[in-house]
Amino acid sequence: MTLLHGARVLDPVSRVDETGDIIIKGDRILERGQFDPHGNWDAVYDCRGLAAAPGFIDLHVHFRDPGFTWKEDLHSGARAAAAGGFTTVVCMANTSPPMDRPERVEAFLRRAEGEAIRVLTAGAVTEGLAGRRLAPLRDLAAAGAVSLSDDGNTLQDPALLRRALLEAREAGLPVFLHEEDRAYIGTAGVNEGKVSKMMGLSGARDAAESSLVARDAALSRETGARVHFQHLSARASVEALRRAKEESAPVSAEVTPHHLGLTEDAMLEWGTLAKVNPPLRTERDRRSLIQGIASGLIDCIATDHAPHSAAEKALPFCEAPSGIAGLETAFSAALAALVREGPLSLSELVYRLSAAPAALLGLPGGALAAGAPADITVFDPEEEWLCAAFESKSENSPWKGRPLRGRVKYTFCRGRLVWPAV
């Protein structure tokens, strides 16, 4: 048995916030309480001055495997996740080939079984992510997909999406939507506003996102299918989400640490390292996102971990791909935006990183009760550190080289220490 001794135990499900010990036996939490650290333990971790929380869960990552493994692969992505305190992640379907066939989902999950953390996958909504014909959604669910998404390939056709929602409802899976209407986008990856004007670019209007959030919330309400809005970025989208929930549409939403912590001004300092879809927007948008997550209107935090090579990010702005490698800096960035500078308590932040995403997909984890999976993240909320190196293959992050505060010290998954790697 393993003892985590003297931690500040944060269990957002039971609303526990107290100093104590946690006993791990096998892949489960055996008991919480006060125990003698000099007892007959297989291992003892001194967690005095540290906090212990349910392992973080990320519903939206890109491990680029198969097809783009020079950016990331299953193993490097899993290591990056563990280093960031994540014990479960859901990979998006935009691999090559995409996750649009059940045999591909099954093969991916077989390979993922060998990783130290739980690596799950979404299935594609349309064949080849092309937005023309539906993939076999029921078969993807039976093969083990935990959600359905074409991710960055926004579903522009409402009639096709309606058919997808009806099938997804029958398959028992939510549809995750990246909402960007191309009609409102000039240059992708930068907000239409003062910064895009300074750069001589047309930019992406916030209506690109908010118009589709409103449209697809209505489709969710009509069909009764669960819809999850990915990486909200705009105040208008938060208001559209509010109206949808007031009308009892079965919708949920996520927000990323970079949209919580950065604005369009980051483009002027970091250039393509701050280029993401949807783009970083204004301070007014950022504050609306913070209030949305604080009120519970936005359900959870997800990283949209999107690794790219240094050579790709060094391309001219319009040619460089969008995305930030976010797993390893997520906790520090969210802590700064939501707790140190924002309205959340540390326990509430833990809830948005663990119990809330677990509940959305019915995943194991999210609690520290006896009998719960021994997926545990131990962190120091005060430690200052320099983000200088990554476990990810890619380092495309505006936080690279910056001092951060709040650091993951240990990550346990299924009762095993997976970070630091042993």
Side-chain angles (χ1 to χ4, degrees), residues 11 23 28-32 367-373:
D11 184 353
I23 300 175
R28 296 279 161 175
I29 294 173
L30 179 65
E31 195 173 353
R32 284 195 331 231
L368 292 180

Side-chain angles (χ1 to χ4, degrees), residues 13-50:
V13 173
S14 60
R15 299 186 179 180
V16 165
D17 183 349
E18 62 187 20
T19 301
D21 304 338
I22 300 172
I23 300 175
I24 298 172
K25 183 177 181 181
D27 64 355
R28 296 279 161 175
I29 294 173
L30 179 65
E31 195 173 353
R32 284 195 331 231
Q34 305 286 337
F35 305 97
D36 181 1
H38 303 292
N40 187 26
W41 309 104
D42 297 315
V44 176
Y45 292 86
D46 185 356
C47 298
R48 289 173 294 180
L50 307 177

Side-chain angles (χ1 to χ4, degrees), residues 106-125:
E106 290 168 349
F108 177 91
L109 294 175
R110 281 196 299 270
R111 290 194 297 123
E113 287 177 356
E115 298 303 329
I117 67 163
R118 292 181 174 87
V119 181
L120 309 173
T121 188
V125 176

Side-chain angles (χ1 to χ4, degrees), residues 113-373:
E113 287 177 356
E115 298 303 329
I117 67 163
R118 292 181 174 87
V119 181
L120 309 173
T121 188
V125 176
T126 66
E127 293 180 358
L129 309 174
R132 290 191 293 270
R133 292 184 298 273
L134 294 184
L137 305 187
R138 293 183 185 85
D139 293 341
L140 295 175
V146 295
S147 60
L148 299 165
S149 182
D150 276 7
D151 192 59
N153 298 62
T154 300
L155 290 161
Q156 306 283 340
D157 181 351
L160 180 69
L161 177 57
R162 185 179 184 277
R163 294 200 301 274
L165 292 178
L166 290 170
E167 287 202 24
R169 185 190 66 190
E170 295 303 314
L173 294 183
V175 175
F176 280 40
L177 295 175
H178 176 129
E179 301 288 49
E180 285 197 292
D181 188 333
R182 289 189 291 269
Y184 295 96
I185 298 175
T187 304
V190 59
N191 182 54
E192 182 182 83
K194 64 174 185 178
V195 172
S196 66
K197 290 179 181 177
M198 293 171 67
M199 298 173 67
L201 301 172
S202 54
R205 295 167 57 187
D206 61 4
E209 179 180 271
S210 61
S211 62
L212 290 188
V213 170
R215 183 198 76 175
D216 297 342
L219 288 173
S220 173
R221 186 171 60 252
E222 177 197 347
T223 61
R226 289 184 294 153
V227 162
H228 179 83
F229 297 114
Q230 297 176 294
H231 44 45
L232 292 189
S233 68
R235 179 176 180 272
S237 300
V238 176
E239 292 309 308
L241 176 67
R242 185 188 310 279
R243 290 191 295 271
K245 288 196 170 185
E246 288 172 350
E247 294 169 358
S248 301
V251 297
S252 57
E254 68 190 42
V255 64
T256 71
H258 48 267
H259 286 107
L260 289 167
L262 302 173
T263 69
E264 60 185 347
D265 292 334
M267 304 290 297
L268 301 176
E269 184 171 358
W270 292 293
T272 60
L273 290 181
K275 181 183 180 183
V276 288
N277 293 338
L280 303 173
R281 299 198 190 272
T282 67
E283 178 64 11
R284 187 186 187 200
D285 292 307
R286 188 183 78 88
R287 291 189 177 278
S288 182
L289 296 171
I290 288 173
Q291 289 304 315
I293 193 79
S295 68
L297 182 64
I298 299 175
D299 300 83
C300 67
I301 296 167
T303 68
D304 188 16
H305 174 72
H308 295 292
S309 70
E312 289 171 304
K313 280 293 190 178
L315 292 169
F317 186 87
C318 292
E319 299 173 34
S322 293
I324 289 173
L327 282 166
E328 295 170 69
T329 57
F331 174 68
S332 299
L335 182 70
L338 294 174
V339 179
R340 301 198 188 285
E341 304 164 11
L344 266 67
S345 68
L346 187 59
S347 183
E348 288 169 332
L349 173 60
V350 165
Y351 177 81
R352 300 298 175 201
L353 284 166
S354 59
L360 282 174
L361 289 188
L363 301 176
L368 292 180

